[in-house]
């Protein structure tokens, strides 16, 4: 089962490996990223970041969608990690009911600065384009929330966006 | 409640608390003593920490170096005052995270297990190709 879909530009790192895996009692981490999947060095570093008792796989987004359709995935407690909101939308569209939590962790802090990037929370900066993706994501999963780790404050994405829309 | 103290020679303890906050999202229950820095008296700070301990608290004290003076003083003080505390010397970030993030009450064997696992995190970092799972059959296996 897909316990969570998380947008995190750092994919697997300390916050994910140490906190979310425990809080959700995960047995598998799935990285859906065309970019990471095509880079052997990045794949190895991501694998290094994952706890040794948790299965990890890194594949392009479309391959991951197929992988998740495998009935054997129902026996695992999975977190799917994507680096962009756009990729999250792809996954959410393929599994519009099956995902228990949709979480935005870290986004937009490592991508190059751009004029239209807006700071939504301390951890999340999105371009206008990505904000429209976020709206799509919220349409499929209205409970989509912003949260870095399970101990941090949780904010509903739709609430954040409504504040943002008022400001522009 | 878990009560955590991190103590070090110099500023390491404060730095570690800041690291923990970023990775775990909180460091609320963590107190620190950066010994031998200006305005910090180890004895005084230790007494302050000890007086804040309640009878049902689970106490964990992390010190930077086994055998170092900070560790010596802490071990001595807790022993003299007969305060039950788990004093873990030569900590790393992994052991602190494991302990603060565990949701259950930890007994001695749990703590030893955590120390054993965390000790494995001190290692040469290198990329190993075989570690990557590539096929779904391997993943579901």
């Amino acid at each position: 089962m897909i316990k969570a879909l998380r947008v995190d530009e750092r994919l697997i790192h300390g916050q994910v490996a140490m906190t979310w895996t425990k809080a959700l009692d995960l047995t598998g981490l799935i990285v859906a990223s065309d970019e990471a999947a095509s880079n052997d060095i990045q794949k190895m570093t991501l694998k290094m970041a994952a706890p040794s008792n948790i299965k990890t796989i890194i594949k392009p987004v479309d391959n991951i969608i197929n992988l998740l359709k495998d009935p054997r995935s129902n026996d695992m407690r999975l977190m799917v990690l994507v680096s962009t909101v756009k990729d999250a939308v792809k996954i959410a569209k393929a599994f519009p009911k099956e995902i228990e939590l949709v979480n935005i962790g870290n986004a937009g802090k490592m991508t190059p600065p751009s004029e239209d990037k807006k700071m939504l929370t301390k951890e999340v900066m999105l371009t206008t384009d990505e904000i429209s993706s976020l709206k799509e994501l919220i349409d499929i999963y209205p409970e989509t929330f912003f949260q870095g780790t399970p101990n941090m404050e949780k904010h509903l994405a739709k609430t954040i966006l409504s504040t943002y829309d008022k400001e522009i | 409640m878990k009560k955590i103290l991190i103590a070090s020679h110099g500023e390491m303890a404060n730095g570690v608390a800041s690291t923990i906050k970023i990775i775990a999202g909180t460091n609320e229950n963590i107190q620190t003593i950066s010994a031998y820095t200006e305005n910090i008296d180890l004895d005084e700070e230790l007494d302050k920490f000890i007086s804040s301990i309640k009878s049902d608290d689970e106490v964990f004290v992390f010190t930077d170096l086994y055998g170092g003076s900070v560790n010596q003083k802490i071990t001595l003080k807790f022993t003299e005052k007969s305060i039950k505390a788990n004093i873990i010397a030569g900590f790393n970030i992994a052991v602190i995270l494991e302990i603060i993030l565990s949701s259950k009450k930890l007994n001695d064997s749990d703590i030893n297990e955590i120390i054993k696992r965390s000790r494995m995190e001190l290692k040469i970092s290198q990329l190993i190709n075989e570690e990557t799972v590539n096929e779904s059959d391997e993943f579901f296996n």
Side-chain angles (χ1 to χ4, degrees):
Chain A
M1 65 194 104
I2 309 175
K3 299 300 292 178
L5 166 64
R6 173 173 166 98
V7 178
D8 193 324
E9 61 188 340
R10 283 182 264 167
L11 297 168
I12 307 174
H13 60 110
Q15 290 183 339
V16 171
M18 294 302 300
T19 65
W20 287 103
T21 53
K22 285 191 187 29
L24 302 177
D25 195 16
L26 301 177
T27 59
L29 287 174
I30 291 185
V31 174
S33 162
D34 297 354
E35 207 188 346
S38 65
N39 182 334
D40 281 342
I41 301 288
Q42 198 189 351
K43 270 164 80 173
M44 286 188 269
T45 52
L46 289 171
K47 190 73 198 13
M48 179 166 81
S52 55
N53 58 340
I54 291 179
K55 288 274 183 105
T56 305
I57 193 162
I58 301 146
K59 288 267 184 207
V61 180
D62 291 336
N63 301 47
I64 291 299
I65 290 172
N66 284 330
L67 177 97
L68 289 168
K69 286 180 182 155
D70 190 312
R72 287 176 292 181
S73 71
N74 294 327
D75 302 332
M76 294 181 75
R77 299 170 64 87
L78 303 169
M79 174 179 260
V80 181
L81 290 152
V82 293
S83 59
T84 64
V85 183
K86 198 170 252 167
D87 285 345
V89 172
K90 271 198 196 172
I91 305 270
K93 275 185 179 158
F95 302 96
K97 298 249 178 292
E98 295 86 340
I99 304 171
E100 290 182 24
L101 300 171
V102 178
N103 163 241
I104 316 285
N106 301 290
K109 305 286 287 278
M110 285 161 68
T111 51
S114 87
E115 282 285 305
D116 74 333
K117 216 144 80 165
K118 292 279 173 309
M119 188 118 189
L120 295 184
T121 66
K122 226 165 70 199
E123 288 86 22
V124 182
M125 288 175 85
L126 299 179
T127 61
T128 331
D129 202 29
E130 289 166 317
I131 287 175
S132 28
S133 296
L134 182 59
K135 286 178 181 159
E136 274 185 80
L137 187 61
I138 296 171
D139 281 339
I140 310 169
Y141 282 102
E143 300 301 305
T144 299
F145 63 100
F146 288 49
Q147 194 178 34
T149 74
N151 284 321
M152 289 177 173
E153 234 185 310
K154 185 170 166 175
H155 298 282
L156 272 182
K158 58 185 172 202
T159 316
I160 302 260
L161 269 192
S162 66
T163 327
Y164 162 81
D165 279 339
K166 262 180 232 146
E167 276 167 16
I168 52 167
Chain B
M1 204 179 74
K2 275 203 196 86
K3 200 132 183 98
I4 314 281
L5 173 68
I6 304 173
S8 66
H9 300 72
E11 299 287 355
M12 186 189 192
N14 292 332
V16 168
S18 146
T19 302
I20 299 291
K21 187 169 187 193
I22 290 173
I23 302 177
T26 176
N27 61 7
E28 260 169 38
N29 300 323
I30 298 179
Q31 294 182 49
T32 60
I33 302 178
S34 293
Y36 310 119
T37 58
E38 244 175 290
N39 306 323
I40 297 290
D41 181 88
L42 178 55
D43 262 311
E44 219 173 89
E45 297 290 319
L46 216 43
D47 288 337
K48 251 194 265 171
F49 176 76
I50 288 172
S51 63
S52 73
I53 296 172
K54 295 189 186 70
S55 60
D56 55 346
D57 281 340
E58 276 184 283
V59 182
F60 292 91
V61 181
F62 297 97
T63 68
D64 56 354
L65 186 68
Y66 182 75
S69 61
V70 174
N71 185 66
Q72 284 179 37
K73 187 157 256 177
I74 287 174
T75 310
L76 191 64
K77 190 154 235 166
F78 277 85
T79 313
E80 277 174 355
K81 296 200 168 193
S82 309
I83 296 159
K84 198 181 161 346
N86 303 285
I87 303 171
I88 299 170
F91 67 77
N92 58 14
I93 300 294
V95 75
I96 300 181
L97 283 173
E98 281 253 13
I99 282 173
I100 64 168
L101 294 171
S102 72
S103 42
K104 62 168 196 162
K105 215 170 151 63
L106 301 168
N107 62 33
D108 288 352
S109 93
D110 295 329
I111 295 167
N112 276 315
E113 258 319 298
I114 291 177
I115 290 177
K116 223 158 111 189
R117 270 205 306 276
S118 307
R119 190 178 276 151
M120 303 293 289
E121 302 294 315
L122 179 71
K123 57 181 169 190
I124 306 274
S125 179
Q126 57 188 359
L127 299 177
I128 304 165
N129 210 357
E130 297 86 78
E131 273 184 5
T132 52
V133 172
N134 287 314
E135 295 316 317
S136 54
D137 278 342
E138 270 177 274
F139 183 73
F140 289 122
N141 197 343

